[in-house]
Structure formats: C-alpha cells, structure tokens
Amino acid sequence: MTNWTKESMLSHLQSGIATVQFTKVNGEKRTMSATLVEKLIEENTTNKDKNGNVGTNTPNVLANVKEDKRKTNPNLIVCFDLDKKDWRSYRVDSLISFDWVSTDGEY
C-alpha cells in the first residue's frame, strides 16, 4: 500500500508518465507505463480513423456514453497504458507502487 491518493495520481498522470504496479482482480501483479497526457495518447494510439484522428466523434458513440447508467466505481483510475497502447484501469486499493517518471514539459 502507498500514500498516493486517487486525486494525486490523476493529477500526476495528467501531466506526465508514471510506472504503476498493482494487483489485478485475479491476484496477478501487473506493471504499466500510464499517462493521461493527451499528446502521448494521440501519438501512441492504434485507434485512429481514416483521417488520423484518435477515437471517434460520431454522435451515436457520444450518446451511448452519456446514456450509460452503470454506477461508476470511485475507487477506479482509468488511464492510457503506453506499453499496451490502449486504455486500462486499476483500483486504488490494489496499488502496490506509483513511481513518477516524467512531466509533460518534456513532450
């Protein structure tokens, strides 16, 4: 267990990269290079449309997201995994370590 709060981890992920180690639901330990820096996500995503845009801006997809009635887990952090080049999540209470790597001033 670490002293990182959800808010402090989100703040750091929004400004750079962190190496996050956590225990998955199945008990397996997992390590990822995580970020929420838009430029890094755009550079590393494989989900681009024919114009090279990340993700999709279609109204139907956005409508589906807005209509999602599932209860959100306040203990969950969703971030982009630079190693897997896809979105991943982890539970704050499963965190083993959160090591700050860099800030977005380097991007």
Side-chain angles (χ1 to χ4, degrees):
M1 189 66 151
T2 70
N3 292 328
W4 288 91
T5 65
K6 179 178 180 179
E7 292 76 21
S8 64
M9 286 186 281
L10 286 171
S11 176
H12 278 77
L13 291 170
Q14 289 167 350
S15 63
I17 302 169
T19 301
V20 180
Q21 186 177 36
F22 60 99
T23 304
K24 293 171 55 172
V25 175
N26 67 4
E28 180 183 335
K29 285 188 171 63
R30 165 111 158 72
T31 302
M32 67 176 160
S33 295
T35 190
L36 288 173
V37 175
E38 189 173 339
K39 181 178 178 185
L40 290 173
I41 295 167
E42 288 176 359
E43 291 172 354
N44 287 281
T45 190
T46 56
N47 299 325
K48 294 184 180 179
D49 66 16
K50 63 182 178 184
N51 298 319
N53 297 316
V54 176
T56 181
N57 290 322
T58 59
N60 292 339
V61 172
L62 294 178
N64 289 338
V65 171
K66 290 177 184 174
E67 292 176 13
D68 190 349
K69 303 291 187 213
R70 292 179 291 183
K71 186 175 180 179
T72 58
N73 183 343
N75 192 36
L76 197 68
I77 291 184
V78 178
C79 55
F80 191 83
D81 183 340
L82 293 168
D83 300 322
K84 298 284 186 181
K85 298 189 183 304
D86 208 352
W87 293 96
R88 296 289 187 259
S89 63
Y90 65 94
R91 293 185 339 268
V92 174
D93 61 359
S94 72
L95 184 68
I96 297 169
S97 65
F98 186 91
D99 296 317
W100 184 236
V101 178
S102 64
T103 64
D104 76 342
E106 300 174 12
Y107 311 119

